[in-house]
């Protein structure tokens, strides 16, 4: 895989060493078992895959190049380059400004920009509408596009399937920048609908199985339930006959598969197995490799009988939130931004993904002769932050026995 130039301050010699050792033993990346750092009284269990993915490294390489090449120009990012506050504030400290916030609210008006300014498209991509706006305003002279190629792959797939007459069903979070961009690209070529989860798909399936979708009352029900989540040309009586599922690349891969399988079973029920492929497209190849690797690595790490897990990343990061969800199902899990959330050996401040607030938990480290901790992150967390978290937790274990080959990396 291509090697990128990302700023050194996001790297960690410790994590780099661990990843390098694993990669040299497992060049084809087939072994998903975690890396274990056993220090006697404390053991860290690191998933086989975590940290910056291809798309994030690509985006960072491009934006730092933009900064280097244009020292005297204004640089505007359309929105957060990725969902990590440290990365975004680092860019901000270099003068990079954000046109939209991550909720889609415009914070810099278009009339503040000139055609001499640099515009950077974030890794999630951008909607066709914003692309058009930039073009209409003549702001395309200095564009740096960091859209991840795996996101573009989904757009291309939606286009191909749309041209073949399929309706595109996007498994994603409606307000997420990537889902908005995919929705906007897809609806150029296909009737498009966004679903959040299997529960929404079950409601959709009831509509698919209905024989009376011409009924205006049923259509009204459909439009109310999927409010704002369908393309403007959507006709429930016509556009639920031939469906292809794609996803926001950072959703839980198994959930996308479940959704796809569910729709497939509904199409078999309605049209018969012999007609399945006239009504359903197989789209498994749109899943992003990094999401798949990180999630599979977490499932394996969770087999290690750890006492708890610490997941590090931006609270608005979709892929990190999904790692948290998978961990939470099995063990106590603390979602933190950085080592600063670890207040002491007895107290941690962490994000509750259901209540969407930070809370504090006491006595999160159990009293035991040996404590086992899964330390994980998604695709948008710098390894340097993971290292800081690891060092802070380790500092609470003065009797930890650090092997000689790690001493120089941990002091
Ligand atoms: S998670 Fe996948 S789609 Fe998203 S930026 Fe990384 S490589 Fe690209």
């Amino acid at each position: 895989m291509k090697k990128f130039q990302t700023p050194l301050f996001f790297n960690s010699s410790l994590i780099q060493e661990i990843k390098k050792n694993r990669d040299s033993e497992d060049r084809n990346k087939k072994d998903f078992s975690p890396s274990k750092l056993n220090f006697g009284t404390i053991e860290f269990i690191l998933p086989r895959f975590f940290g910056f993915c291809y798309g994030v490294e690509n985006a960072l390489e491009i934006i730092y190049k933009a900064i280097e090449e244009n020292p005297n120009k204004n640089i505007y990012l359309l929105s957060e380059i990725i969902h990590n506050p440290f990365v975004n504030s680092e860019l901000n400290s270099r003068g990079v400004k954000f046109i939209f916030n991550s909720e889609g609210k415009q914070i810099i008006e278009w009339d503040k920009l000139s055609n001499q300014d640099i515009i950077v498209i974030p890794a999630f991509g951008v909607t066709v509408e914003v692309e058009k706006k930039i073009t209409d305003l003549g702001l395309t002279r200095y564009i740096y596009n960091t859209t991840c190629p795996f996101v573009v792959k989904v757009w291309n797939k939606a286009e191909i399937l749309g041209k073949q007459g399929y309706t595109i069903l996007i498994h994603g979070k409606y307000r997420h920048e990537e889902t908005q961009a995919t929705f906007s690209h897809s609806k150029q070529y296909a009737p498009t609908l966004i679903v959040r989860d299997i529960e929404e798909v079950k409601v959709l399936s009831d509509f698919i199985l209905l024989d009376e979708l011409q009924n205006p009352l049923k259509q009204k029900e459909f439009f109310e339930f999927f409010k704002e989540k369908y393309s403007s040309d959507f006709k429930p009586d016509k556009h639920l006959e031939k469906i292809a599922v794609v996803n926001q690349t950072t959703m839980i891969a198994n959930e996308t598969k479940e959704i796809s399988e569910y729709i497939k079973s509904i199409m078999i029920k309605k049209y018969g197995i012999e007609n399945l492929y006239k009504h359903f497209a197989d789209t498994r190849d749109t899943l992003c490799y990094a999401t798949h690797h990180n999630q599979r690595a977490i499932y394996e790490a969770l087999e290690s009988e750890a006492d708890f897990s610490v997941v590090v990343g931006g609270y608005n990061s979709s892929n990190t939130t999904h790692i948290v969800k998978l961990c939470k199902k099995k063990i106590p899990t603390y979602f933190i931004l950085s080592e600063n959330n670890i207040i002491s050996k007895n107290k941690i401040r962490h994000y509750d993904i259901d209540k969407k607030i930070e809370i504090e938990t006491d006595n999160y480290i159990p009293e035991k002769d040996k404590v086992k901790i899964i330390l994980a992150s998604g695709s948008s967390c710098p390894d340097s932050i993971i290292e800081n978290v690891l060092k802070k937790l380790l500092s609470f274990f003065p009797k930890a026995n650090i092997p000689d080959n790690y001493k120089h990396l941990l002091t």
Side-chain angles (χ1 to χ4, degrees):
M1 196 174 273
K2 187 179 168 192
K3 287 261 175 266
F4 294 96
Q5 298 293 322
T6 53
L8 288 177
F9 45 80
F10 291 139
N11 296 347
S12 146
S13 327
L14 171 71
I15 304 297
Q16 208 170 358
E17 181 76 9
I18 296 166
K19 289 182 177 175
K20 199 177 84 195
N21 289 343
R22 289 303 302 275
D23 286 350
S24 67
E25 291 161 3
D26 171 34
R27 290 186 190 283
N28 295 327
K29 301 190 189 316
K30 298 272 188 230
D31 177 5
F32 286 80
S33 64
S35 309
K36 294 186 177 177
L37 301 186
N38 187 352
F39 300 147
T41 50
I42 179 169
E43 180 170 316
F44 289 100
I45 297 158
L46 303 177
R48 168 72 174 96
F49 299 105
F50 63 93
F52 287 172
C53 57
Y54 182 100
V56 166
E57 293 202 340
N58 176 53
L60 293 177
E61 180 178 274
I62 295 171
I63 193 160
Y64 279 94
K65 193 165 157 229
I67 295 169
E68 196 184 315
E69 288 175 352
N70 302 283
N72 301 317
K73 285 188 185 290
N74 292 318
I75 301 182
Y76 291 98
L77 246 166
L78 284 168
S79 64
E80 294 188 351
I81 187 136
I82 57 170
H83 286 156
N84 186 279
F86 297 99
V87 173
N88 289 305
S89 67
E90 213 291 319
L91 292 170
N92 202 222
S93 73
R94 287 167 195 268
V96 175
K97 299 182 190 75
F98 298 83
I99 299 176
F100 291 91
N101 69 14
S102 59
E103 277 86 49
K105 185 171 182 291
Q106 187 153 3
I107 42 185
I108 296 177
E109 294 305 322
W110 292 118
D111 60 9
K112 299 277 183 298
L113 279 72
S114 88
N115 66 1
Q116 292 303 306
D117 295 331
I118 309 292
I119 305 281
V120 185
I121 297 175
F124 314 110
V126 71
T127 61
V128 174
E129 293 76 9
V130 170
E131 247 174 36
K132 184 170 180 314
K133 185 81 190 173
I134 297 169
T135 309
D136 291 350
L137 292 171
L139 298 172
T140 50
R141 195 154 166 203
Y142 301 106
I143 288 244
Y144 285 78
N145 188 351
T146 82
T147 309
C148 175
F150 292 96
V151 174
V152 176
K153 189 176 163 191
V154 176
W155 299 350
N156 291 342
K157 190 82 183 184
E159 178 180 342
I160 291 167
L161 291 162
K163 286 178 178 167
Q164 290 171 10
Y166 286 94
T167 290
I168 303 298
L169 191 63
I170 303 173
H171 174 216
K173 295 178 181 168
Y174 172 69
R175 298 211 177 277
H176 191 281
E177 295 99 312
E178 183 193 316
T179 297
Q180 283 290 311
T182 299
F183 179 61
S184 141
H185 282 264
S186 171
K187 71 184 183 180
Q188 292 187 104
Y189 305 101
T192 303
L193 183 66
I194 303 171
V195 284
R196 173 74 186 81
D197 52 29
I198 189 74
E199 298 314 318
E200 290 194 2
V201 169
K202 287 181 180 165
V203 174
L204 175 67
S205 298
D206 289 343
F207 282 110
I208 295 173
L209 292 172
L210 271 181
D211 286 328
E212 12 148 11
L213 261 174
Q214 279 99 340
N215 180 336
L217 282 176
K218 289 289 162 201
Q219 296 207 1
K220 192 166 170 256
E221 253 178 57
F222 176 92
F223 289 128
E224 273 170 9
F225 187 85
F226 291 105
K227 192 169 174 217
E228 297 184 341
K229 295 181 177 173
Y230 53 85
S231 50
S232 55
D233 59 346
F234 207 96
K235 296 188 177 57
D237 53 332
K238 284 206 176 73
H239 296 149
L240 296 175
E241 290 173 359
K242 208 173 164 185
I243 293 181
V245 181
V246 301
N247 71 353
Q248 177 188 320
T249 53
T250 49
M251 299 303 276
I252 295 180
N254 284 346
E255 287 183 4
T256 305
K257 279 188 203 146
E258 187 190 0
I259 284 170
S260 201
E261 285 301 314
Y262 197 86
I263 294 289
K264 187 175 166 184
S265 71
I266 293 298
M267 291 315 200
I268 293 173
K269 196 167 173 182
K270 180 149 187 176
Y271 299 105
I273 184 97
E274 65 284 8
N275 296 314
L276 176 64
Y277 291 106
K278 288 185 199 144
H279 298 276
F280 174 80
D282 189 346
T283 47
R284 270 172 298 180
D285 59 345
T286 59
L287 288 173
C288 150
Y289 88 94
T291 302
H292 177 260
H293 275 191
N294 289 359
Q295 291 175 4
R296 193 162 159 201
I298 273 291
Y299 286 123
E300 291 237 2
L302 286 165
E303 296 299 314
S304 312
E305 297 187 350
D307 295 296
F308 64 95
S309 69
V310 174
V311 182
V312 193
Y315 296 155
N316 59 347
S317 159
S318 178
N319 74 85
T320 314
T321 305
H322 291 135
I323 299 284
V324 173
K325 269 193 189 166
L326 297 178
C327 291
K328 245 179 74 155
K329 279 188 190 160
K330 204 147 179 206
I331 50 176
T333 295
Y334 305 102
F335 182 8
I336 64 173
L337 277 178
S338 74
E339 70 281 8
N340 296 331
N341 290 69
I342 303 173
I343 299 164
S344 69
K345 187 175 181 182
N346 299 318
K347 196 185 278 291
I348 189 165
R349 191 174 56 248
H350 57 102
Y351 190 67
D352 183 316
I353 55 172
D354 301 315
K355 295 184 185 139
K356 303 201 182 326
I357 48 166
E358 271 193 334
I359 55 173
E360 288 185 357
T361 297
D362 294 326
N363 305 320
Y364 64 102
I365 302 181
E367 288 293 337
K368 291 174 83 184
D369 293 341
K370 178 171 190 163
V371 175
K372 288 177 161 192
I373 307 171
I374 292 178
L375 178 54
S377 77
S379 308
S380 45
C381 180
D383 283 349
S384 52
I385 300 181
I386 287 282
E387 176 179 323
N388 294 345
V389 170
L390 187 149
K391 284 180 173 167
K392 185 129 181 201
L393 288 166
L394 185 60
S395 72
F396 301 141
F397 292 80
K399 292 189 184 154
N401 182 16
I402 300 171
D404 288 345
N405 55 336
Y406 279 111
K407 278 192 177 134
H408 68 291
L409 296 166
L410 282 165
T411 46

